[in-house]
């Protein structure tokens, strides 16, 4: 058995930004158009008018101030309301692979290893842009990595579940140097026309290198243990899928083929599930919340993180103890906790403990307990 360790992380951040104000202007223009189009039905009381969104609400309800996206032109066009992402030919690199490569290269540089040394690539994300061949295998080829590669999807928990899979393989010896990459094109599955959720997501890619601690060339985080759990819920759901064409009603563009959630229920049910999960994980390792120097949580909602942080630490955590990045990135699904880890882990001292935790659709929750080593 080998001790697995994280030796590198990388974040690809798209160039384009949408502020809450820009988003709200586009949404409200869309709502006005829809209300004008449906004026007769609205006047007859057959349908309710669309209400305006507001930046104040978005910030207060979520803590989000802006989001990065691959394409803002389509999202901000009230005639379009989704990103413009052109179909690439089979000879071109897919968009997910392109984003992934940037994050992977940064993670490899940090670890000080060459891509050829990688013998496991896991592409773990909420959505795959095609069914097959696996995006991970395309990334493996583009990197020039060896070994094997596969895709996995556990929605917002994809990164931590991927890290558990990679860490277990490095521990047992079936892989020696792994990279877990999370290209999240959330703008593609967000319903930008829905006032309740149009502000939630952004695009990003993160990558994490996991190898034997004894092979680390610099500072590292030993993976002391991981814990994954799932419990079925329909409260976050997307009914898009490969059977779409075969429905007797034909190919439809229904609302439930984009991201759907019952946000209030998610909030109420997931907060206790996550804090209990983290505390049980720590307890089984002989620790408590007071032993954690840092908590890198999933980045969906600021109040949700405040609740979880307080329950785990037994007090309100200092800002640097539980860093949030969602004000800049919004919810980036599985990548959120890894962005927080990548940006806020350098200052830890040898021996310090920290925990990465993601949670979301499924429901799913995954936690990774780390100890900084020199
Ligand atoms: N602008 C202005 N007002 C809005 C609005 C918008 N964009 N969207 C909703 N509102 C209004 C509602 O109409 C409602 O008004 P009412 O009280 O008069 O009925 C009010 O604001 C509250 O709406 P609600 O949807 O209950 O807000 P909320 O406080 O629950 O916040 C979320 C919404 C989505 C931010 C929050 O529930 C959440 O973050 N949940 C967890 C989400 C999550 O983690 N999901 C995981 C995804 S991976």
């Amino acid at each position: 058995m080998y001790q697995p360790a994280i030796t590198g992380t990388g974040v690809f951040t798209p160039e384009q930004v949408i502020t809450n104000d820009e988003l709200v202007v586009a949404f409200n223009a869309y709502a006005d158009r829809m209300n004008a189009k449906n004026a007769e039905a609205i006047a007859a009381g057959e349908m309710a008018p669309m209400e305006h969104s507001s930046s104040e609400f978005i910030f207060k309800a979520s803590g989000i101030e802006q989001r990065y996206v691959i394409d803002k032109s389509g999202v901000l066009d009230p005639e379009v309301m989704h990103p413009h992402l052109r179909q690439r030919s089979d000879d071109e690199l897919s968009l997910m692979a392109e984003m992934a490569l940037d994050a992977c290269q940064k993670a490899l540089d940090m670890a000080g290893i060459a891509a050829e040394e990688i013998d496991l690539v896991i592409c773990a994300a909420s959505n795959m842009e095609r069914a097959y061949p696996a995006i991970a295998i395309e990334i493996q080829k583009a990197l020039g990595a060896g070994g094997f590669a596969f895709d996995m999807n556990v929605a917002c928990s994809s990164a931590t579940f991927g890290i558990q899979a990679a860490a277990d393989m490095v521990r047992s010896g079936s892989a020696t140097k792994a990279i877990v990459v999370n290209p999240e094109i959330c703008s593609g599955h967000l319903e930008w026309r829905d006032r309740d959720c149009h502000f939630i997501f952004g695009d990003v890619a993160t990558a994490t290198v996991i190898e034997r601690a004894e092979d680390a060339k610099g500072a590292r985080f030993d993976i002391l243990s991981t814990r994954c759990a799932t419990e079925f819920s329909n409260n976050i759901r997307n009914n898009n899928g490969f059977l779409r064409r075969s429905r007797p009603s034909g190919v439809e563009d229904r609302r439930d083929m984009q991201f759907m959630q019952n946000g209030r229920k998610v909030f109420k049910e997931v907060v206790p599930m996550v804090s209990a999960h983290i505390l049980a994980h720590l307890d089984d390792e002989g620790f408590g919340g007071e032993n954690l120097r840092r908590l890198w949580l999933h980045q969906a909602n600021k109040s949700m993180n405040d609740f979880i942080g307080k329950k785990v630490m037994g007090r309100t955590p200092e800002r640097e103890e539980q860093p949030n990045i969602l004000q800049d990135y919004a919810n980036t699904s599985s990548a959120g906790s890894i962005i927080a880890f990548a940006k806020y882990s350098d200052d830890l001292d040898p021996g310090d403990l920290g925990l990465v935790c993601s949670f979301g659709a499924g429901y799913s929750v995954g936690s990774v307990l780390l100890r900084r080593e020199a």
Side-chain angles (χ1 to χ4, degrees), residues 1-133:
M1 291 289 189
Y2 303 94
Q3 172 62 52
I6 294 178
T7 56
T9 50
V11 179
F12 161 76
T13 303
E15 284 169 13
Q16 302 185 29
V17 180
I18 301 179
T19 64
N20 286 348
D21 286 349
E22 284 177 291
L23 188 70
V24 165
V25 166
F27 180 88
N28 291 349
Y30 169 76
D32 291 345
R33 276 162 198 247
M34 292 310 287
N35 289 340
K37 192 173 153 206
N38 297 314
E40 271 182 37
I42 292 168
E46 289 159 13
M47 67 187 291
M50 281 189 72
E51 290 179 67
H52 277 185
S53 183
S54 87
S55 298
E56 296 71 40
F57 170 84
I58 294 171
F59 181 67
K60 205 167 133 255
S62 68
I64 296 166
E65 294 175 37
Q66 60 167 45
R67 68 283 297 136
Y68 293 93
V69 289
I70 303 290
D71 169 67
K72 67 189 277 187
S73 68
V75 170
L76 295 183
D77 182 345
E79 300 261 18
V80 180
M81 300 297 279
H82 59 73
H84 285 300
L85 304 173
R86 76 178 171 84
Q87 177 73 48
R88 297 184 175 195
S89 79
D90 291 359
D91 299 328
E92 289 177 277
L93 205 57
S94 68
L95 181 53
M96 282 182 74
E98 184 179 296
M99 296 163 68
L101 277 185
D102 182 278
C104 285
Q105 202 49 62
K106 288 171 178 154
L108 290 169
D109 290 348
M110 183 174 163
I113 61 178
E116 305 85 74
E117 296 177 72
I118 293 288
D119 57 4
L120 167 63
V121 179
I122 301 178
C123 178
S126 298
N127 285 281
M128 298 300 159
E129 72 178 89
R130 62 167 180 266
Y132 43 81

Side-chain angles (χ1 to χ4, degrees), residues 53-54 57 61 156 195-196 236 261 263-264 266 300-301 304 331:
S53 183
S54 87
F57 170 84
C156 288
R195 176 176 178 256
D196 288 348
I236 313 172
Q261 80 163 349
R264 278 277 161 101
V266 171
N301 180 291
M304 220 167 165
N331 183 345

Side-chain angles (χ1 to χ4, degrees), residues 179-244:
I179 195 154
V180 179
V181 61
N182 323 104
E184 292 285 6
I185 312 175
C186 298
S187 62
H189 73 107
L190 175 58
E191 181 49 88
W192 298 93
R193 295 170 296 185
D194 185 337
R195 176 176 178 256
D196 288 348
C197 68
H198 74 115
F199 53 88
I200 287 183
F201 288 113
D203 301 335
V204 80
T206 50
T208 308
V209 170
I210 295 146
E211 59 182 319
R212 294 173 184 172
E214 64 199 56
D215 292 341
K217 296 197 174 68
R220 64 177 203 268
F221 282 90
D222 282 358
I223 300 176
L224 300 188
S225 68
T226 56
R227 177 169 293 195
C228 295
T230 48
E231 199 179 300
F232 187 71
S233 165
N234 271 326
N235 286 326
I236 313 172
R237 191 169 169 124
N238 182 329
N239 281 332
N240 201 357
F242 79 104
L243 295 179
R244 190 168 176 171

